[in-house]
Every structure is written in C-alpha cells, then in structure tokens.
Amino acid sequence: MVFCFLCKSFFKDLKSLKSHFNFSHSEHEFLNYKCNEDGCKRSFSSFNSFRRHIQKEHISLVQNHPNCIDDIESEPNDFIKIYPKRIIEQFNMATVSKTPPVNESLSIFIASLYGNVLLPRNVVQKVIEGLKEFFSTLGPAINNTVNAICQEYSLSNDISKVLVETLVPTIISPLESFMTEQKRISFYSKKKTYIAPQGIVIGQRFDHVKRNGISRMEVIDCQEHFIPLRNILQTFFSLENVLAETLEYMDSLKDKNVMENFIQGSYWKNRVLHHSNRIVLPLFIYFDDYEIGNVLGSHAGVHKLGAVYVSIPCLSPWRSSVLSNIFLILLFHSSDRVSFGNNIIFKPVIDDFNFLSEEGIQIDVPTFKGTLYFELGLILGDNLGIHSMIGFVESFSANFSCRVCKVTKADLKEQLYENTALLRTTDSYEGDLALNNLSLTGIKERCVFLGIKGFDLFQQVGADVMHDVLEGVAKYILSFMLNKYTQNSKFFTLAIFNDKLLAFEYGPDSKNKPCSIEKEHLKRGNIRLSSGEMLTLLRFLGLLIGDFIPRDDDYWALYTNLRKILDILLSVRISPGTDNLLQVLIAELNELYIKLTKDSLKPKFHNLLHYHTALKKYGPLSSFWSMRFEAKHRQSKMSARSSCNQINVTWSLAMKHQLSLNEMFLRGKLCNILEVGPKKIVPLPETKILQSLLQLDPKKTLIRVNWATMSSILYKKGSILVKSLNSDRYLYNFFLLEKIYLYNCDCLIFEGMLLQTLCFDDHYYAYEVEVPSLTNQVTMLLESFLSPIPNTLNTLPNGRQYVILRSPL
C-alpha cells in the first residue's frame, strides 16, 4: 500500500499511484515527488527515481490495505461507486468546474492559430477539418480501450457503454461549433474578445473591373479600416490585474526626484490639473507608412499602407514595450491619404479621442468600478510621418523645414543652440496659416488634430531618437570617422574592421550584430545598418577599434561626445539638470562636426537642438521612439507575405491583427512576467545555506534553473549585472552571474561573484574590471540590484577586461 503525498489517498501499487498523479493531479506541476512512508522525508525529481526508492526501502508497504481505493477484489462492481463516476465527469469536461469546458479550450487553441502571423486564415480551416476527421476515427479505438479496461477490472458492460457514449460526443461535438470561420468569428464576437475592424468609405475612384470576361472602367469605393479604440481599451483594462498594476505603477512615480515616465514630465503634470478627481491616462498616437510587398519590385508603392497605432505610456515599462500592447486603430492605402486628405482619413481617430476624453469608458473590475478617461499625450512618428500627419512641409531641404522653430535653411546649417525667439507658437501658427505661403512658413495645411479638444500642436509632438540619431547623426559621424581612419590615417583597413565586427562577442546584443560595411557605401557616407545594428555598433565601437586609435586623436572626440549624448537619450531615469547638460553636449557635438568635417550641419543635427526641451517636458525620450512601433509593422508584413492575397489587403491585415489581439483577450490576462528554463532540485545543504543567508521561508519552494526571463529580460550564466554604486560614487560594482534560483515560483535569486572595478576608461567608453584573486561570492535577490539590465564582459587582446553598460544609469 502506498499513498499520495498531495491528497493522502491510498493505492494498492505504484502503477495505480502513477495513474492517479496523471489523472487527478494533472494540473500540479511536480517539482519533485515526496516520500512520506514511515516518516521518510526524501524527495525525487522523477517518478522513476521515486518508484525505485519505494521498491528498495519500503517494499513491505506495497500491498493491499483496507483503505485503498483500488482494492476491488471483493466486489468488482463497487468500482463504479468510486472511480467510474469520476472518470465520466473528468472526460465530460463541461460538467467539471475545475477543468475548463472543451469548447473554451478549443477556442483558445483556435485563437492561437489565428494569432500566428505566419498562418493564413484558410490554413486554420484546414486544421479544424483535419481534427474532425482524426477524431471521427477514434470511436472504435475508444470502444476497444474502454472494453479492455472494464475487462481488466471485471466491470459490467453497462459501465463500458456509459463510458463510450460519454467519451465520443465529448471529443467530437465541440468541433461542430467551430467548423466554419463564420461560426468561429461569431463565437469570439459574442464573448467580446474579437473587435471587428469597421470599413469606412472615404471616397471613390475609377478602376478596371472585369465582368463576364469584359474589362471596363467603373466607379468603386475606397475604404479604410478603423478599429474602435474605446472597445479595445475597455477590454484591455478589464483583463486580470491590468488596471491595478497600471495604477500602482503610476502611484509609485509620485514624488520621485528622477523622471522615469511621461506622466512625470512638465507637460502632463500641467495637463492633469484640468481634471480634478478623474482618473485620466495618456495615450500616444504613432503614424507611419510601410510597404508590404517587395520595395525593389515592379509593384513597389502599389501596396504601401498607412498605419496608426496607439500605445499607453503609463503602463509599467516592460508592458508598454510588448508588441501586443501596441494597438492598431487605423489602416489605409497611403495613396488614399494623398488623394482624399488628412481630414477625411483621420476623422474617426479624432472622434474616438474626443469620446475618450469627454465620456470615457466604464470599467468594472475587483479593484476599480467607474469611468476611465483618456487624453492624447503625444503624436509620434519619423520626421516625414509627423510632418505629413500635422500638415508641415514634407521636404527637409525646404527653407523652413523645422516643425518646432522657424529657422531658415541657411541658419540651420550652422546653428549650435536653440533660438527661443524663433520657436513656433499657437499665435504665430495662426498667422502663418493666414499667410498661406509654404515657402515662407513651412506649413502646408492646417493640422487635422486640432480637432481634438485641448490639443496643442507645439506641446504634443514628440521626438524620435531612432531616426534622428541612429539613422541620422550617427551615420554621418561614423561614415566620416571610418573613412578618415581607413583611407587617410590608415590606422586599420576596412577588411580588418569587418573581421572584428564578425568575431566580436556582443552578449545580449547578439541579435543586432552589425553586418559588414561595404567600401562603396562608406565612401558615399551611407552606412547600411538597421537602427538596432547601429546602436550595437555605437555601444561597442570603443572596444572594437579603440586600441588602434591614439588617445589624443581629435576625431575620436566625435565618438565619445556622441556616446555621452546617446547615454542621456537612452537613459530610463532622468535626473534634475540633465536637460541642461544635454543642451551643452549637443552644441559641442555640432561645433566639433563643423570644425572637423569642414561641412555644414544636416537637418537631423538641428533636430537635436530641441531635445533638451523635449526631455524636460516628456521625460525619457527612449520611451517613445519609433523602434517598437516599426517592429509592429513587421507583423503585418509577415501576415501579408503568408497570405499572398492583395485583394482588400487593409481588411485582411486589420482582421488578422484583431484576431491576434483576440487570443490575448480570450485568455483574460497579459503574458507572464516570469519564465524559466529547465529545473533542478537544490541539494539540501545548499538549500539550508540559502535559507539562512537570505532569511527564506523553508516552507516555500526553492529550485535551480538554467535560465530565466523576468519582464522580457533574459538572464543566464555569464551575465553581468550592476550590483551597486562604488564607495566613490563614480564607479559601479559589477556582478558575474553563476547560478539562478527560483524561489516561491515568482522570485529570482542570483548567485555569483563580484568583479573589481578599476576605472572608467574614457577612450574605450567602458569600465575596466578584473576578476579578483580571492573569490568574492555574493547571493542576492534580483530586486536588490541597482539595474536589472544584463551586460557582457569583453576581453581585449591585451588581456584587459571591460564592461559596457547597455542601459545608462
């Protein structure tokens, strides 16, 4: 006789106990199997190890027992009083409250198929038909299996018949409710998890239409597809813990001396003063055009689409960057915006924002019952997207190309500081509109978003570090420097540089490893790297070529100055006075660029002059750059390629996006904060040491894992974390991760060694460290580290080791 350590039920043998685990405790994720026989306290990672232990140490216990529920020898048909009813109820899942109904599980499975951007919708139909065909063949197999079980336990034929009649319909009948796409969409719509795109006619045009084999010109409707934002937000904030988590995060930002979020900036603080006791959340609008076909093919531009996304900046940082939490609200053909104008295209967006501001949405969750209001925070996009959206000139060689100030084209080329006398204001804007002269004002048309109540054109347009720096200023500077070093100074060759690019260890940045640079591109001053690759190159350029460059080289100052600016722009915490420092650094960079290159400044250098003001008004600039929004484009591009059907493509892609969102809404919660790799049992002596060291509760679980992901950040052996500030407060104490523990299923514990920080090397723009001769082991909770962002340890050919911060502090 053996018994279950979870429910204390007795069983006649180990085979029955194993079946019991699989059947009655399938929802329990076993970390180990515990032996409680005769006071034994041992535990095992697998059932096989547990079985061998029982057979060796407690063999006398494996025998019949009067309380054993598997003891049916005296009256075989008494089994129906104990197990058959439970078996029937378990298989007939709709009657068991602890197990989700079959149609609910099936609906989530189908939603996950729809949510996969690589699967066209017609493939989902084939999967459902295949499942039905497969399950229809299970009837005979189920009948034979049940008969064999009943014969083994000497059960009557009536029991066998009941089991078969219960099993077969339970498996097959739920599929009937999902056999067609119309039934599936109807099911999701009734549950209010699928929010269908609305087709809106925005105009008409002549086009070729083929009817009865005859092609003719007819008038057809042009449509855009709009997804009501109010419905999305209402469902999103009704998900489990989303609103509570958001309000808790917003409350944690109050009275902080550093800025970490948009709501701490001067603009939003002034804006919320107009809402007395209302709970008001900010929203960002992002607009951009993107090509879903081959940008170099013969049909390039034909299927160029315009997309409007909305994000919620007051979510916790890692939530706001998750692509599923960025919502598509409008999709249209870019040519239609040119033909019919911004007023027609963006009207449904403006109406929805006015509704959210004045009426709000009703939320009824355990932590909140009432009305949530929303206000437009910022309009975002690349420079071309923003200018086309708000009605400014779309040529950056125009006489007045800046949307923030009225600097002339000639002055822009040499300006080092922002001229406050030239800043655009609402009054000057109205005057420029009345003048109606593009060449004298830089204004093409009245901004359509002035239709949003309370909108201020010169307070609510953001900046974009991605396009201004990574795809602008950085490319100009690095092209000039690499040309100088490889062609003039000849410190190294381009071939050597490319070899070092390929061989270098980038650690967590390996996904954005820079590719080789072509000589022709370099001569033209156009380094062809993506934004992510350029960011990686900027981070590690000091370690890549710093040992070739003399420490007194004048041109190297361009790089170090740019790195200082980038550290501020990418920092997630902005201290008081940082805006003034940024202004000075940008002025020095522009002056140095003019002096060394003998060239004039480009428009993107001028855009940086306004960054210190944006930093003060909006908080960290990295929280609203284009990087994550452009990653959102990729989902539609992949869906378009997998579909291979360009007919009414805006409807297809908008529907596909909403079906992806439907999967998240159907599950009722956002993605998990914590994920871990393979688990291992921690030896008892090691467990006791950790419990004593960190004052852990011995009743809570403690296991070791190979890797862990917390808030989308991956931790593994060899990661470098910032433990704390050094005693002189100018250096950091770095921690080399060696072991990862999972405590109580929701907390990470790291064990590793402290590195000795020697200095910050300005030339390499990295911290020089060394592994101490005496091992300095440290065990800490993840939340105790100064920064949760992992870095990497790089060793140069001279043997010196360096750490570069991926997230400036």
Side-chain angles (χ1 to χ4, degrees), residues 180-191:
T180 65
E181 182 163 273
Q182 189 276 332
K183 289 183 178 181
R184 295 191 287 271
I185 298 300
S186 176
F187 176 86
Y188 296 135
S189 298
K190 288 178 181 178
K191 292 183 73 68

Side-chain angles (χ1 to χ4, degrees), residues 437-681:
N437 190 324
L438 178 65
S439 62
L440 296 179
T441 63
I443 299 174
K444 188 169 65 173
E445 64 181 9
R446 185 178 184 83
C447 177
V448 63
F449 288 95
L450 290 171
I452 296 179
K453 184 178 179 181
F455 177 75
D456 189 330
L457 179 58
F458 304 109
Q459 294 288 333
Q460 293 182 259
V461 177
D464 185 15
V465 176
M466 173 183 167
H467 288 93
D468 285 339
V469 180
L470 300 182
E471 294 188 1
V473 171
K475 285 194 174 184
Y476 297 132
I477 290 177
L478 289 192
S479 296
F480 169 73
M481 291 178 61
L482 290 177
N483 265 320
K484 198 74 178 176
Y485 292 148
T486 58
Q487 301 299 320
N488 298 340
S489 303
K490 295 187 178 180
F491 292 143
F492 53 88
T493 64
L494 186 59
I496 291 176
F497 179 74
N498 285 332
D499 287 341
K500 291 184 75 70
L501 280 181
L502 296 175
F504 194 80
E505 176 54 52
Y506 298 97
D509 287 311
S510 295
K511 291 183 179 179
N512 288 312
K513 180 178 180 178
C515 59
S516 299
I517 295 176
E518 299 292 333
K519 187 175 182 179
E520 292 75 15
H521 298 158
L522 195 60
K523 285 183 177 180
R524 292 197 297 264
N526 181 23
I527 299 179
R528 291 196 174 182
L529 297 176
S530 68
S531 300
E533 292 169 346
M534 176 58 74
L535 179 57
T536 301
L537 179 57
L538 284 173
R539 278 180 181 152
F540 294 99
L541 186 66
L543 298 182
L544 282 164
I545 62 174
D547 52 343
F548 294 119
I549 313 299
R551 287 187 174 265
D552 58 352
D553 183 76
D554 293 334
Y555 298 96
W556 191 247
L558 269 175
Y559 168 69
T560 55
N561 192 287
L562 179 59
R563 284 289 280 115
K564 292 175 184 177
I565 293 172
L566 197 64
D567 274 359
I568 295 176
L569 298 182
L570 298 184
S571 178
V572 295
R573 297 183 182 90
I574 307 299
S575 302
T578 305
D579 54 321
N580 295 327
L581 174 61
L582 178 63
Q583 184 181 27
V584 173
L585 289 173
I586 289 173
E588 291 177 352
L589 178 72
N590 288 357
E591 184 179 21
L592 197 59
Y593 182 82
I594 294 173
K595 176 184 175 181
L596 296 178
T597 64
K598 312 300 181 186
D599 196 2
S600 58
L601 297 175
K602 310 298 189 293
K604 290 185 178 180
F605 282 89
H606 171 78
N607 291 344
L608 299 187
L609 302 187
H610 304 299
Y611 270 34
H612 72 283
T613 305
L615 191 71
K616 189 174 183 179
K617 289 194 296 186
Y618 312 135
L621 301 186
S622 60
S623 63
F624 51 83
W625 61 349
S626 295
M627 192 75 81
R628 298 308 293 156
F629 294 102
E630 294 218 348
K632 187 77 174 178
H633 287 334
R634 185 170 177 268
Q635 294 181 338
S636 289
K637 292 177 182 179
M638 294 171 67
S639 295
R641 284 196 294 268
S642 66
S643 175
C644 300
N645 181 4
Q646 307 302 324
I647 299 176
N648 204 3
V649 68
T650 56
W651 162 255
S652 298
L653 295 182
M655 184 179 183
K656 185 68 175 179
H657 176 273
Q658 291 307 105
L659 287 170
S660 298
L661 201 59
N662 167 69
E663 180 187 1
M664 180 178 74
F665 288 165
L666 197 64
R667 294 182 186 276
K669 59 182 180 180
L670 300 182
C671 57
N672 294 330
I673 295 178
L674 175 65
E675 295 180 1
V676 297
K679 304 169 185 176
K680 300 178 182 178
I681 295 177

Side-chain angles (χ1 to χ4, degrees), residues 712-772:
S712 299
I713 301 173
L714 175 64
Y715 301 98
K716 60 182 180 180
K717 183 178 180 181
S719 296
I720 305 292
L721 286 87
V722 181
K723 175 183 177 290
S724 58
L725 273 172
N726 209 320
S727 55
D728 59 11
R729 300 189 62 80
Y730 290 102
L731 300 176
Y732 296 105
N733 294 316
F734 293 102
F735 172 91
L736 175 60
L737 179 58
E738 296 177 342
K739 295 180 181 179
I740 304 174
Y741 300 94
L742 178 63
Y743 171 63
N744 196 32
C745 298
D746 62 359
C747 182
L748 291 179
I749 298 173
F750 292 162
E751 181 180 302
M753 72 168 67
L754 281 183
L755 303 178
Q756 183 178 352
T757 307
L758 303 179
C759 66
F760 178 76
D761 193 317
D762 293 291
H763 186 71
Y764 294 113
Y765 210 84
Y767 292 89
E768 184 178 353
V769 299
E770 68 176 16
V771 178

Side-chain angles (χ1 to χ4, degrees), residues 147-321:
N147 287 334
I149 293 174
C150 291
Q151 289 177 5
E152 180 180 353
Y153 290 99
S154 303
L155 302 180
S156 65
N157 292 333
D158 292 337
I159 296 175
S160 174
K161 184 178 180 181
V162 169
L163 288 174
V164 173
E165 291 177 352
T166 303
L167 282 170
V168 176
T170 300
I171 293 174
I172 298 176
S173 60
L175 284 171
E176 296 297 333
S177 303
F178 298 93
M179 279 309 298
T180 65
E181 182 163 273
Q182 189 276 332
K183 289 183 178 181
R184 295 191 287 271
I185 298 300
S186 176
F187 176 86
Y188 296 135
S189 298
K190 288 178 181 178
K191 292 183 73 68
K192 297 183 178 180
T193 58
Y194 173 69
I195 303 168
Q198 299 175 1
I200 300 175
V201 177
I202 54 178
Q204 295 177 322
R205 60 182 171 88
F206 281 101
D207 202 356
H208 288 278
V209 177
K210 195 170 186 179
R211 301 184 188 280
N212 299 323
I214 300 175
S215 180
R216 65 186 70 184
M217 294 291 291
E218 290 187 5
V219 176
I220 63 171
D221 290 336
C222 300
Q223 285 191 339
E224 64 180 358
H225 287 90
F226 170 71
I227 300 104
L229 180 59
R230 65 189 76 173
N231 296 346
I232 294 176
L233 293 175
Q234 187 169 39
T235 307
F236 179 77
F237 282 105
S238 297
L239 296 178
E240 181 182 327
N241 292 329
V242 172
L243 183 57
E245 183 181 301
T246 302
L247 296 178
E248 182 181 351
Y249 172 68
M250 293 174 64
D251 190 60
S252 70
L253 297 174
K254 292 180 180 178
D255 304 323
K256 276 195 173 184
N257 193 37
V258 296
M259 283 197 295
E260 300 178 14
N261 193 273
F262 171 76
I263 64 174
Q264 295 173 280
S266 60
Y267 168 73
W268 186 253
K269 285 183 177 179
N270 294 330
R271 187 64 180 265
V272 294
L273 294 177
H274 302 292
H275 301 274
S276 53
N277 295 322
R278 287 181 171 183
I279 297 181
V280 185
L281 306 183
L283 298 173
F284 288 166
I285 287 180
Y286 177 89
F287 165 70
D288 192 20
D289 292 321
Y290 66 99
E291 177 71 63
I292 60 174
N294 182 1
V295 295
L296 300 178
S298 58
H299 296 280
V302 175
H303 295 296
K304 188 177 183 180
L305 304 182
V308 178
Y309 301 116
V310 166
S311 65
I312 309 169
C314 57
L315 296 178
S316 57
W318 85 274
R319 292 286 193 196
S320 61
S321 64

